[in-house]
Amino acid sequence: MLGSSMYALRLQRVELKHASRNGIFRRWMSVRPQDIGISEVRKKVTIQSLYQNKANGTPISMLTAYDYPTAVACSSHPVDITLVGDSLAQVCLGYPSTTHLSVAEMIHHTRAVARGTTHPLLIADMPFGSYHTGIEDALRNAVRMVQDGHVEGVKMEGGQELTEIVRRLSSVGIPVMAHVGLLPQRHIAMSGYKVQGRDRNGAKRILADALALQEAGAFSIVLEAIPKELGKYITEKLEIPTIGIGAGPHTDGQVLVWDDMMGTWNGHKAKFVRRFANAKHERDSGVEAYCEAVKSRSFPDENTESYSLDKNEWAQFLEDQKSQ
Ligand code: KIV
């Protein structure tokens, strides 16, 4: 008896799942799990296709995402790489810097982003401290990011000191995106978030780092906050695609932080940030309008936004109440 009711319960769960996938419950609630709703099916971005982009001069678009809706937005447009950046720490979790973010917090977010990711290549930052305590620790944490966090590759900030880690991860098939120039995880050591490689020695060091990381197996590299001449020079010297953020227009691709790009970030706006939307204005006026409507009782509308009961049922209900 117990066995058959357990079986019925499981069957019911499977049927519910099937029904919701097919949109049968679509009209019920606005908090229902939605189907991903992407109309245009794009070809999956691969490391090979990124190399083709570099070869034929087609710019690579990378954008950060931190949760399911931002991931779906990336998947709905020609974003090539979705990056769960550790900027997550500041823009979503309210930490003062990326150094506060843990691997567990990162994985919680990468799983949500993975659920909303279709064609873009999904990369995530290795949080500060997760690759600084030895090669085997770095490997263990990178495996967690892939296995539990469902990402396709990892990004790490640093230069030649990371080559052995990059080699080890690449050797077991974990694609590594390198990151040189301004390294936000080292903002204290770097005395702030400053443009890097502004003199010839600094520029030589960044070039040497980029070449060493490529040689170690990095499949791509982020160039952050460096002069545009250097961005162009490194891009021409490297065989792997370069993704710039504040590195000028001649890199193989560009990346921006979602909140910078959407205009929802209240903090400092770097010179290289362009606001492509004013979502903060939209968001704030929506919240304002909602509060106003609730307080003036104009929401919900009695006819169009409320449910009603059959008149006879209601009369009977009231009658029944009298006899109680
Ligand atoms: O954390 C981040 O968002 C990044 C950038 C390159 C955008 O690393």
Side-chain angles (χ1 to χ4, degrees):
M1 182 60 202
L2 187 67
S4 69
S5 65
M6 291 269 286
Y7 174 76
L9 203 65
R10 197 173 308 146
L11 195 67
Q12 198 185 354
R13 271 200 213 118
V14 171
E15 279 166 358
L16 285 174
K17 213 159 142 194
H18 188 69
S20 78
R21 264 207 208 111
N22 289 318
I24 292 166
F25 297 143
R26 210 160 273 174
R27 66 200 158 77
W28 276 20
M29 285 184 294
S30 53
V31 289
R32 70 196 179 274
Q34 55 178 5
D35 72 32
I36 195 162
I38 292 171
S39 49
E40 193 175 333
V41 179
R42 293 189 164 82
K43 218 166 156 217
K44 175 74 188 145
V45 173
T46 62
I47 292 173
Q48 192 185 16
S49 69
L50 296 173
Y51 277 67
Q52 278 160 5
N53 285 359
K54 180 171 176 103
N56 61 31
T58 306
I60 296 164
S61 53
M62 178 158 109
L63 187 57
T64 67
Y66 308 105
D67 52 19
Y68 180 78
T70 50
V72 171
C74 291
S75 297
S76 309
H77 299 280
V79 169
D80 296 306
I81 306 173
T82 297
L83 171 71
V84 190
D86 59 356
S87 45
L88 164 69
Q90 294 107 310
V91 299
C92 284
L93 302 181
Y95 289 129
S97 86
T98 58
T99 53
H100 293 244
L101 188 73
S102 68
V103 175
E105 286 168 320
M106 176 54 105
I107 286 176
H108 178 75
H109 285 260
T110 58
R111 288 173 75 92
V113 172
R115 288 192 285 272
T117 297
T118 54
H119 75 276
L121 188 69
L122 179 56
I123 305 294
D125 267 316
M126 294 280 288
F128 176 76
S130 67
Y131 55 105
H132 303 89
T133 53
I135 297 178
E136 292 313 306
D137 281 352
L139 179 59
R140 197 172 309 114
N141 283 319
V143 168
R144 273 182 77 190
M145 299 272 286
V146 172
Q147 215 161 44
D148 302 339
H150 304 162
V151 302
E152 295 175 296
V154 296
K155 175 163 89 57
M156 51 182 73
E157 298 179 9
Q160 299 180 48
E161 73 284 1
L162 293 184
T163 50
E164 283 319 303
I165 295 175
V166 173
R167 214 180 297 287
R168 181 88 170 99
L169 266 54
S170 306
S171 76
V172 297
I174 299 177
V176 178
M177 177 179 278
H179 182 150
V180 298
L182 171 58
L183 309 177
Q185 291 183 357
R186 300 186 196 182
H187 70 284
I188 307 275
M190 288 176 141
S191 300
Y193 299 88
K194 295 180 179 156
V195 180
Q196 302 295 308
R198 281 196 125 153
D199 59 23
R200 79 183 90 139
N201 287 333
K204 278 185 204 164
R205 210 167 35 246
I206 294 170
L207 173 63
D209 281 342
L211 287 166
L213 290 158
Q214 168 176 270
E215 198 277 324
F219 78 93
S220 167
I221 188 164
V222 167
L223 307 177
E224 177 159 359
I226 60 171
K228 58 182 186 293
E229 298 82 352
L230 185 58
K232 181 170 190 287
Y233 192 83
I234 294 176
T235 299
E236 286 165 2
K237 282 278 169 208
L238 293 186
E239 284 160 23
I240 59 174
T242 60
I243 314 287
I245 174 162
H250 303 294
T251 50
D252 297 309
Q254 298 291 331
V255 57
L256 279 178
V257 166
W258 175 276
D259 295 79
D260 282 337
M261 188 275 297
M262 293 296 280
T264 43
W265 176 242
N266 266 342
H268 172 73
K269 177 183 169 300
K271 180 177 183 180
F272 58 75
V273 168
R274 186 187 294 180
R275 295 216 160 116
F276 288 87
N278 190 352
K280 184 178 180 307
H281 175 77
E282 280 297 301
R283 182 194 69 192
D284 289 348
S285 51
V287 176
E288 187 61 33
Y290 167 73
C291 293
E292 202 280 317
V294 169
K295 288 179 189 296
S296 67
R297 295 196 183 276
S298 66
F299 172 80
D301 181 83
E302 191 154 351
N303 297 316
T304 59
E305 292 164 331
S306 306
Y307 302 107
S308 55
L309 208 70
D310 175 81
K311 272 197 188 98
N312 293 336
E313 285 295 319
W314 184 235
Q316 197 55 59
F317 170 84
L318 293 176
E319 202 53 44
D320 290 352
Q321 293 302 305
K322 282 182 201 158
S323 56
Q324 300 249 321

